[in-house]
Amino acid sequence: MIEELKNRLRDQRDLLNELQSTRLHRALSWMAAAEGHHNDADLRFICSWISFSACYLADDEQVRALADQQGFQRLIQQLVDLDQQERIYHCLWHQFSGPVRALIKNPYVFAPFWVSQRLQNDDWKQQFDQSSVAALNYLSRKKVPELLGIVLDRLYVLHNQVVRGGATYQSRVNREQVEDGGRLLLALMPVIIDIMLTHSDQDWGDLPYPVVK
């Protein structure tokens, strides 16, 4: 699949603007790196997330929760609207229904949980219950943008834990979510890149780190 997407990118390079071509080239390079780490769940997850981030990154100050970023919400809606074959929904519902449900029900990838740990209160519980119920309803009612947004937001918390030193390398503590997260992202990325290639005429946002010649 990667080679097919690389060939398409190469064939369409004259049709793509330089920023879009660079964005997708970077995403494919990290997707290939993720596939190369099939025996290392941590590195596979990290590389998979970087591949997604290459498609999404709109500014260099992502300090807010992913779900609160307007650029992220626009991207998710745009991808789902253009996914006429409903491949994203198929991935979330058919391929990874179990891991998606496990992720939704896992408080350790819910950002307010960690805020409450620092503040030593239980304010996160009501938010978590509401978010989990909403996500399961999105799953059953085929509300794909909302569901995908919650899933990626949970994976963003997991990404922060791993990349910012909040987890031990190859730790047994968070093994299941890291393994599931990497596999899920690797299944989503070919779909996302394919949509962005197919609809190269769409506005996919600025590139904060363009190639400087």
Side-chain angles (χ1 to χ4, degrees):
M1 186 62 176
I2 290 180
E3 287 305 315
E4 179 184 336
L5 290 170
K6 283 183 177 179
N7 290 335
R8 284 184 58 197
L9 177 60
R10 194 177 300 114
D11 293 341
Q12 291 181 227
R13 190 148 282 174
D14 292 340
L15 303 175
L16 299 172
N17 64 55
E18 186 176 358
L19 296 183
Q20 182 69 345
S21 178
T22 300
R23 186 196 310 274
L24 295 176
H25 176 73
R26 289 171 177 173
L28 279 167
S29 72
W30 285 103
M31 181 179 156
E35 289 199 347
H37 288 296
H38 59 276
N39 290 325
D40 191 320
D42 289 296
L43 295 180
R44 180 177 57 196
F45 173 71
I46 290 169
C47 292
S48 298
W49 185 268
I50 296 175
S51 180
F52 169 70
S53 186
C55 293
Y56 159 62
L57 192 61
D59 58 60
D60 55 359
E61 287 191 52
Q62 295 190 29
V63 294
R64 293 174 294 167
L66 202 62
D68 295 333
Q69 298 177 28
Q70 292 183 352
F72 169 72
Q73 297 294 347
R74 284 196 300 272
L75 173 68
I76 294 303
Q77 188 65 57
Q78 191 174 12
L79 287 170
V80 174
D81 288 345
L82 296 171
D83 182 21
Q84 298 176 351
Q85 296 174 306
E86 299 186 339
R87 290 172 295 173
I88 293 174
Y89 179 73
H90 177 81
C91 181
L92 297 176
W93 176 251
H94 295 288
Q95 284 183 265
F96 291 94
S97 178
V100 165
R101 290 175 184 274
L103 201 64
I104 289 169
K105 296 176 180 179
N106 186 343
Y108 304 116
V109 289
F110 184 62
F113 170 83
W114 297 107
V115 174
S116 290
Q117 292 299 302
R118 292 192 291 273
L119 298 177
Q120 297 184 336
N121 61 44
D122 293 327
D123 292 350
W124 66 275
K125 290 183 177 180
Q126 184 176 359
Q127 291 177 267
F128 178 72
D129 290 341
Q130 291 173 344
S131 175
S132 299
V133 169
L136 292 173
N137 284 335
Y138 296 150
L139 185 62
S140 62
R141 296 178 183 178
K142 208 174 181 178
K143 293 189 175 183
V144 185
E146 295 87 348
L147 174 62
L148 182 59
I150 287 180
V151 168
L152 289 173
D153 191 56
R154 300 292 173 87
L155 291 178
Y156 180 62
V157 175
L158 180 60
H159 157 268
N160 288 342
Q161 290 178 19
V162 175
V163 173
R164 297 179 182 180
T168 303
Y169 175 57
Q170 295 189 336
S171 170
R172 294 180 181 178
V173 175
N174 61 348
R175 199 69 342 220
E176 185 176 347
Q177 56 260 41
V178 170
E179 290 178 351
D180 288 344
R183 285 196 293 265
L184 175 56
L185 284 170
L186 264 181
L188 283 171
M189 284 315 304
V191 176
I192 291 173
I193 294 172
D194 177 67
I195 291 171
M196 295 178 81
L197 264 175
T198 302
H199 301 277
S200 57
D201 57 326
Q202 296 283 317
D203 179 9
W204 296 103
D206 296 327
L207 196 67
Y209 302 106
V211 176
V212 178
K213 298 180 181 179

